[in-house]
Amino acid sequence: MSRAATLLIVEDEPETANLLETYFRAHGYQVFTAPSGEEALSMAQARTIDLIVLDIRLPDMDGFEVFRQLRAHRRTREIPVIFLTEKRERESRLTGLEMGAHDYIPKPFSLQELRARVQNILHRSRAEPAFDGLTGLPGRPLVMEHLREQLERSDWGALLIGLQGLEVFGERYGFVARDDAIRAVGLLLARINQENGDAFFLGHIGEGWFILIGSRHQLNTVARQAIARLRNALPYFYPLQDVEERPPDLPVLQVAAAQVQGTEGPFPNPETVIRHLLERRKAFPS
Ligand code: CA
């Protein structure tokens, strides 16, 4: 785990809320609590929450209503929820699972059991998805799988290509503009690959970085095309006004790329190939 997981405990009984807060804090979690449905909803909108422990019985609305509203908003839709139910409320257990809650636990519960369920769900939801959510291209796990197959041969080549300076660009123009730029790079690379008979495997390894894997004999051609066309596209990522006026503090976006060929190996594993490419990245001044 790279950072402490953040929990939101939604429970109006102060004793239970305090107990859970203290217990999960002691186990290294960051914990927020909310005593009502309204407060839970606004807190989930305002903070980055990894998992919600949601009591069914709340003073202002029931847990199901809170859950329904969480699912109705883009920002909170994907947050896993564990319901706390009353033991005799078999109905609520069924309703919760039907609605798509990740789990439920009847009161009175054991703290250890609750923590085990929290850990399981966090582990599952942190597993990397196969396709990148932004570009729809194969994500890192699929790239690694594809590279691993190539490592047994020697005639493969890989091109790492992407944008350098995205962080500053995003700070200036916002993350929507930044995501648009990343998506545009993905689309442009997919088009270039298509024009080359889809000869390469195209993956998105994260942020603004993409990889094309295929025959080393075709690699130079594709690399030249990709670098040239991305450099031509760069001005379109900026607001028109900034392109025309060129303010002195214009954030610099540059195309950067690196190549590797199977003959340069042997590479013991796909991670080595990626590291090699990242270290070799060279930016092309615009
Ligand atoms: Ca309650």
Side-chain angles (χ1 to χ4, degrees), residues 10-13 16 35 55-59 84 86 107:
V10 189
E11 166 64 280
D12 58 313
E13 295 146 48
T16 313
D55 188 34
I56 297 288
R57 294 195 171 186
L58 295 167
L84 296 180
E86 304 296 329
K107 286 178 171 177

Side-chain angles (χ1 to χ4, degrees), residues 7-135:
L7 304 185
L8 173 59
I9 311 279
V10 189
E11 166 64 280
D12 58 313
E13 295 146 48
E15 255 177 64
T16 313
N18 287 342
L19 179 72
L20 289 173
E21 187 178 8
T22 312
Y23 178 77
F24 279 102
R25 283 236 169 98
H27 283 90
Y29 291 82
Q30 195 182 353
V31 184
F32 296 107
T33 58
S36 70
E38 278 303 331
E39 279 171 77
L41 289 167
S42 65
M43 200 169 270
Q45 286 291 337
R47 318 240 180 211
T48 300
I49 305 287
D50 294 314
L51 187 144
I52 300 178
V53 177
L54 179 55
D55 188 34
I56 297 288
R57 294 195 171 186
L58 295 167
D60 54 344
M61 59 180 96
D62 69 21
F64 299 124
E65 178 56 23
V66 177
F67 185 75
R68 205 187 55 72
Q69 293 196 31
L70 286 168
R71 287 297 179 267
H73 291 95
R74 200 166 73 106
R75 189 173 157 75
T76 53
R77 185 177 297 159
E78 310 286 337
I79 305 175
V81 170
I82 299 179
F83 278 120
L84 296 180
T85 66
E86 304 296 329
K87 198 163 208 163
R88 50 183 190 286
E89 287 178 327
R90 258 191 330 138
E91 285 304 309
S92 58
R93 166 194 160 184
L94 290 173
T95 313
L97 291 179
E98 275 164 18
M99 286 172 86
H102 287 72
D103 212 340
Y104 75 94
I105 190 160
K107 286 178 171 177
F109 51 82
S110 118
L111 286 169
Q112 283 81 357
E113 192 186 346
L114 177 58
R115 183 161 71 100
R117 296 196 187 191
V118 167
Q119 280 173 329
N120 280 343
I121 290 171
L122 287 177
H123 183 76
R124 254 188 284 152
S125 66
R126 281 176 179 212
E128 291 179 274
F131 291 87
D132 185 88
L134 188 58
T135 56

Side-chain angles (χ1 to χ4, degrees), residues 204-277:
H204 184 185
I205 61 168
E207 294 293 301
W209 299 103
F210 297 82
I211 191 165
L212 285 148
I213 306 164
S215 156
R216 70 185 179 93
H217 306 291
Q218 269 178 282
L219 190 65
N220 268 324
T221 315
V222 168
R224 260 201 315 274
Q225 292 175 7
I227 292 164
R229 283 171 62 183
L230 273 186
R231 289 177 74 190
N232 286 338
L234 282 181
Y236 297 100
F237 299 155
Y238 293 85
L240 190 57
Q241 197 182 2
D242 277 7
V243 176
E244 284 168 354
E245 291 172 8
R246 295 206 140 259
D249 58 343
L250 192 73
V252 180
L253 267 191
Q254 286 184 323
V255 176
Q259 289 186 39
V260 67
Q261 302 199 356
T263 45
E264 295 172 64
F267 297 99
N269 52 44
E271 288 79 12
T272 324
V273 178
I274 299 287
R275 199 177 327 125
H276 186 82
L277 284 165

